[in-house]
Each structure stands twice: as C-alpha cells, then as structure tokens.
Amino acid sequence: MQIFLDTADTDEIRQRMQAGLVDGVTTNPSLIAKSGANILERIEAICAVVDGPVSAEVVATDLDGMLKEGRRLREIAGNVVVKLPLTQAGLACCARFAEEDIPTNVTLCFSLNQALMAAKANATFISPFVGRVEDAGGDGIELLHKIRAVYDTFGYETQILAASLRSTAHVEAAALAGCDAATLPPKIFDQLASHPQTDSGLETFLSDWKASGGASFV
C-alpha cells in the first residue's frame, strides 16, 4: 500500500522523505489556505521535493473552470494529480482529463455509488473519507471493503486512496481492506513505526549492553 502525506507544509514533507517511506502527497484548498502560500507556488515547491504523485485540487465548481484550473495545475510538474470534487461537473472533468492522459484524484467520496461513478469516469484515484463517514454515523472501513469488492468484480483500474484517516487503526484497516494507497496527516504517519514494547525492548537491550561493559562500535 502506498503511503501519502496529507499536508501542504514543505518542511513536514522534507523531514519525512528522508527514510524513503513517503510515496506521494495530497493537498486540498484548506491545507493550502492554512499555509498562507500561493497555491501554484506551493504545489511547485512540493513537487520539487516529492517524486511521487502530488494531488493538487481545483477550486472551481463548474466544468469549464475545473478544466482550466486542472490543466494549469498539471503544467506545474509531471507528477501533479488533479484533484476533483465528486460532483457531476467533477466527474465530467475527470472523464475529459482521462482522454487527455491527465491523472485525477476524485475526492469527497462518501458512498459506494459515488465510487462506482468515479471508476466509470476513469479516475486514477478515488478518495473515500473514512473519518468523515464515521462522523455522520456510517462505517468508513466497510465502505473501503465495498469499493474494493466492486472494483475487483468489474475490473476497474481506479486506485482506492483511503483518506480522512485519523488513527493508526484506520491505517491498518485500510491495508486489510486492500486499499492501493492511504493518505495520512504527518502526526499519524509518525506513529506507524512506533510501539511501546519496541521502546521498552530497546531500552532493555541498551541497558544490558551497558551493564555488560560492552565495547563501543567506534
């Protein structure tokens, strides 16, 4: 499963790229607004750091506006994925971009029917919002399983990008559901390699080594 960072903070991205564990980045208008940066300049800066997919979202709501903004975003770098809302206009734009070989990430997905429509529009990625589904009383993880089952049944190539993940348990569940990718806030990403028993085990090993008078490696 690919792991993407959900942030527009270039410093956060650089810090976590060092281990080679980050496969891409997703952004949205809210994240860009919080950064205080110009959207085109910030996407360009992110693409300079990240080799993998970088999802950059349009803010237009009409088809012509989405087409114009999406093409402009794609001009920034070859790894830009145009992020589109799951609306009728967004799906029409997605289908048009598929014909133009422009990769897309259809976002704000909350139902299996929506995911089906995105696949029929030849979306590159579909982003089901697990946490927000749960906020509304639904089962976000079950939605991932349903999408996986339908995509596999009909041979759709759209990749499932689990979004709105708020815990390491969400990440585990997304992996078990067979998602192709998951996008995480940096704080959740940092928790993936952590476990209290790892910390205590390491502390014990080092304490035993020191007590034995073990020689230094340098």
Side-chain angles (χ1 to χ4, degrees):
M1 183 173 71
Q2 297 181 86
I3 300 294
F4 298 160
L5 286 180
D6 192 35
T7 180
D9 188 319
T10 51
D11 289 334
E12 289 184 332
I13 294 168
R14 287 191 187 94
Q15 291 170 10
R16 291 160 181 83
M17 288 291 295
Q18 295 177 7
L21 302 175
V22 176
D23 299 298
V25 168
T26 60
T27 67
N28 60 50
S30 295
L31 292 172
I32 295 289
K34 289 178 182 178
S35 74
N38 172 279
I39 184 171
L40 299 180
E41 293 176 355
R42 182 51 56 93
I43 295 301
E44 183 176 9
I46 293 172
C47 289
V49 177
V50 179
D51 293 328
V54 175
S55 289
E57 190 166 347
V58 301
V59 293
T61 57
D62 63 293
L63 176 58
D64 288 342
M66 289 181 186
L67 289 168
K68 180 179 179 180
E69 291 180 4
R71 289 167 181 150
R72 178 65 186 90
L73 288 168
R74 180 64 177 173
E75 289 175 355
I76 295 173
N79 57 331
V80 166
V81 175
V82 179
K83 202 171 181 183
L84 302 165
L86 215 162
T87 62
Q88 291 289 349
L91 292 172
C93 185
C94 178
R96 184 79 65 84
F97 281 160
E99 295 174 354
E100 299 177 17
D101 292 324
I102 295 176
T104 53
N105 176 359
V106 177
T107 189
L108 293 169
C109 174
F110 295 93
S111 73
L112 175 58
N113 286 333
Q114 287 183 310
L116 178 60
M117 293 298 97
K120 290 181 68 65
N122 292 315
T124 309
F125 295 99
I126 180 69
S127 288
F129 273 40
V130 173
R132 293 200 196 183
V133 169
E134 294 178 351
D135 289 343
D139 190 332
I141 301 304
E142 182 184 19
L143 176 59
L144 299 180
H145 283 278
K146 286 180 176 179
I147 296 171
R148 180 77 281 158
V150 169
Y151 280 12
D152 289 349
T153 295
F154 297 104
Y156 291 121
E157 296 183 359
T158 298
Q159 298 179 58
I160 304 172
L161 199 178
S164 187
L165 302 182
R166 298 173 179 172
S167 67
T168 56
H170 272 167
V171 180
E172 289 183 2
L176 289 169
C179 292
D180 301 283
T183 185
L184 321 173
K187 66 178 182 179
I188 300 299
F189 175 85
D190 292 344
Q191 294 170 15
L192 293 182
S194 299
H195 195 282
Q197 288 181 292
T198 301
D199 296 337
S200 63
L202 179 58
E203 183 178 350
T204 299
F205 293 158
L206 294 177
S207 177
D208 291 346
W209 179 256
K210 183 177 181 180
S212 72
S216 171
F217 283 93
V218 292

